[in-house]
Structure formats: C-alpha cells, structure tokens
Amino acid sequence: VTVTDRMNYLSPLNNNIGYVQCIEEMMGLELPERGRTIRILMAELSRIADHILSCGLMAMDVGAFSVMLWCFRERERLYDIFEVVTGGRLTTSYTRVGGLSRDLPDNAVPMIRDALAPILETCDEVEKMLYHNRIFLDRSQGVGALTREEAIAYSWTGPLLRATGEAFDVRRARPYLGYDSYDFDVITRTDGDSLARFQVRMDEIRQSVRIVRQALERLKPGPFCADNMKVALPAKDIVYSKMESLIHHFKIIMLNHGFAPPAGEYYSCTESPNGELGFYVVSTGDQQPWRLRVRGPSFLNYSAINRLAQGRMISDVVAILGSLNVIAGELDR
C-alpha cells in the first residue's frame, strides 16, 4: 500500500489491486469468487473515473470548459461510491493481500446501478458537443500522431497504444481476476493522434460499464477474503473480540514478522487506466522484498513527448499533454 499510495492518484483502486495481486501470485493465494468480482467491479469504476476526467480535462485544455464540468460531475458521483465502499475518496487501501478490507455495504450496489446510466448519457453529450466541433477537431485531429511501430518502440501501452491500432490489453493478453470470462471489446483506433486517444478513452468507458453490469450480475453472497489468517488480515470485529485473530493481526503487520513470499523473481501486471502497470519483485524469502521495480505507464507514455511535439505549434503541446493524461506521481523518479 505504501508503494501504491505514491502512484497514479486518479485511479488508486487499480494500482492498489496491481501490487497486491503480484504478492498473491507469488504466494499462490487464491481469492474467493466474491472477492475477485468486487475487485473487478471497483477497478472498472476506477477506470471510468480516470477516463472520464481525463477526457474532460483535455477538452478544457483546448477550450471546451463545459465538458470538463460535465465529466467532473460524473467523477464525483463515482468518488461518492468509493467513499462509501472504501472509506476514502482518493488514496485507498481497500485491496489487501488475500482479499479486501471490508465487504460491500448494503447501499453500494444501488449507488453503482444508479450511476451507470448518467455516465453513458454524459458520454453521449460530450461526443455531441465535440465530435463535430471545429475548434476541438482542429486542436486534436492530426496533432501529436504516432504510428503503431513508433508506439511499440516507445513501450506505450493502454489507450495510447490502442489508439495506434495495436489491440493489446493486459486483461486479454494476461487475464487476471477472471477477466477472460467477461464479455467486452478491446477498443482501437488507427490514427494515433490526440483525437484518437480521446476517442479510445470515451469508448472504453462504455466497455467498462458493460463489465460493471456483468460483475453486478455475478455478485453472489459469500466470503470476500481468503480463509488464511497467516496471510490475510482478519476482520476488525473479530480482532477486537478474539485473541487468536488479534495475534494473527499483529503477526502479519509487525516489523520483521508477517508472511514471506518464496525466494525468486516475479513480474505481475494489470491494465491500469493509463496502460500496463507492472511490479517486478525479487524475493530472498524474507518479509521484505530484496528489490522492487514499478513500471508506471505514465513515465513511459511521457517519454515520447519530444517526438509528438516535433513540427507542431507551442499551443499544440497543450492538447498533446492532455491526450497523454500525464500523472505527475508516476513521473517522479
């Protein structure tokens, strides 16, 4: 959690899931069905929140201020859900090794269902406002274009890579949490410019809504954490009432205690809103990793800014940066 708190603050749930999942895969830990479904549910809601705000801010950067307000409204609607579910709005520690910090509260599912239709309506309104808007098209179409081969050379992933025509999505290429059993499309465009990146994100919002609706249908009663208190933190109510659970709690979190992944090297990745979020861990069999490397997608996406801006006007850099959805926390090295 300490590592992921420093990551992409617009999609903390996705990043939280990515690091925890890496440890679980190293440990060979299996999550119950409800835990996996809730993770997918929250990850896709987080993807929607990131994409819709990214599109709104890019639109504002090139002059469409009203669009930003519409998108911000939907982002806040989703953050209200995050607050109800996780207890926090921005940096959350909802995902834990072995499951989740708590189950979904009773009012979470109705809130999620009520939020989906307005999100789709806002997407329709944004597209009506911008896709035939001469100013928006002049500022984004053909601006900051990159070919598929160049994007691969720059190690681009996520919406930026898919905007060049490469249909690579970690949820399909390396399925996790059961994503291979969900019905959704990998969105691509071929122009590779700022407009194509905007369009990919808008279409991916609709695909995430599809996944959320499927997850809600699959959400069945049951445990949401692995039944292994040597690894998964026990629930607070039993920590406060049972001595064994209190002992397990302290043994996991105390310095020089806790579980130890097996010795070896491991790489795990998830599809965060900005692309492949990877964690490379080298373990010596102790409680602390000997080495940890985070592949933050924004760091690699931003590396192409010089190439994207070549031959353009200074004002075009504003649109290019908006289409990259650069997150400063991921660039900090």
Side-chain angles (χ1 to χ4, degrees):
V1 176
T2 304
V3 175
T4 53
D5 279 349
R6 299 175 182 269
M7 296 293 293
N8 179 352
Y9 55 84
L10 287 180
S11 55
L13 285 165
N14 274 283
N15 296 320
N16 198 206
I17 289 171
Y19 182 60
V20 167
Q21 178 182 292
C22 179
I23 303 302
E24 289 171 345
E25 291 181 5
M26 293 179 69
M27 302 280 296
L29 195 63
E30 289 290 334
L31 266 66
E33 179 65 26
R34 183 174 177 86
R36 294 197 301 269
T37 304
I38 294 175
R39 281 195 188 178
I40 287 180
L41 186 66
M42 302 308 295
E44 294 307 315
L45 291 174
S46 183
R47 191 184 318 280
I48 295 170
D50 184 282
H51 278 2
I52 203 164
L53 185 61
S54 169
C55 291
L57 294 178
M58 177 185 168
M60 179 189 69
D61 288 343
V62 298
F65 187 76
S66 296
V67 171
M68 185 276 290
L69 297 178
W70 299 346
C71 293
F72 221 108
R73 176 190 61 205
E74 301 309 322
R75 204 287 290 260
E76 287 303 298
R77 194 193 308 272
L78 291 169
Y79 268 46
D80 288 342
I81 296 172
F82 298 162
E83 185 174 16
V84 165
V85 174
T86 72
R89 293 173 62 82
L90 206 57
T91 53
T92 72
S93 56
Y94 183 59
T95 306
R96 294 178 176 175
V97 175
L100 308 164
S101 63
R102 69 189 81 179
D103 201 353
L104 288 178
D106 294 338
N107 58 337
V109 171
M111 289 180 69
I112 294 171
R113 293 190 189 277
D114 292 343
L116 298 181
I119 288 170
L120 295 178
E121 291 172 3
T122 297
C123 289
D124 293 340
E125 289 297 317
V126 168
E127 291 179 348
K128 289 177 184 177
M129 171 72 84
L130 298 180
Y131 284 4
H132 299 286
N133 184 303
R134 178 66 180 273
I135 297 174
F136 180 77
L137 294 178
D138 286 348
R139 294 293 303 275
S140 61
Q141 199 165 29
V143 175
L146 211 63
T147 66
R148 171 182 171 275
E149 292 73 22
E150 288 175 316
I152 294 174
Y154 276 105
S155 296
W156 272 12
T157 54
L160 275 60
L161 177 62
R162 292 190 284 272
T164 67
E166 180 64 32
F168 174 78
D169 188 311
V170 178
R171 294 172 295 177
R172 287 285 192 227
R174 186 182 182 275
Y176 56 96
L177 294 176
Y179 266 113
D180 50 333
S181 65
Y182 284 76
D183 182 24
F184 66 97
D185 300 326
V186 177
I187 301 298
T188 60
R189 289 287 191 278
T190 56
D191 293 335
D193 56 8
S194 297
L195 177 61
R197 294 189 279 271
F198 183 95
Q199 291 172 327
V200 166
R201 287 192 177 96
M202 291 298 294
D203 289 343
E204 287 188 355
I205 291 172
R206 295 185 173 90
Q207 296 304 314
S208 289
V209 169
R210 285 179 62 188
I211 296 172
V212 168
R213 285 175 170 162
Q214 293 173 61
L216 289 174
E217 293 300 319
R218 298 184 184 196
L219 199 59
K220 306 300 181 185
F224 58 90
C225 286
D227 186 19
N228 184 347
M229 289 190 181
K230 301 292 186 181
V231 176
L233 281 170
K236 285 293 184 182
D237 57 343
I238 60 174
V239 169
Y240 294 148
S241 59
K242 294 184 179 180
M243 178 55 69
E244 293 82 1
S245 298
L246 180 63
I247 293 171
H248 284 303
H249 176 87
F250 274 103
K251 290 292 288 184
I252 290 175
I253 67 172
M254 285 178 65
L255 187 64
N256 297 323
H257 290 266
F259 56 83
E265 302 180 18
Y266 200 85
Y267 178 79
S268 178
C269 57
T270 56
E271 181 68 29
S272 79
N274 275 337
E276 180 181 336
L277 174 66
F279 294 90
Y280 170 67
V281 179
V282 180
S283 172
T284 57
D286 296 327
Q287 287 79 17
Q288 301 295 327
W290 184 75
R291 186 170 186 180
L292 170 65
R293 167 70 177 174
V294 181
R295 184 201 186 278
S298 286
F299 182 70
L300 294 165
N301 294 347
Y302 185 70
S303 67
I305 185 65
N306 185 55
R307 167 66 183 83
L308 296 172
Q310 285 179 3
R312 305 302 310 183
M313 303 291 286
I314 291 177
S315 59
D316 290 333
V317 178
V318 176
I320 293 170
L321 283 173
S323 71
L324 296 182
N325 189 29
V326 173
I327 305 302
E330 284 187 358
L331 295 180
D332 184 12
R333 290 295 186 271

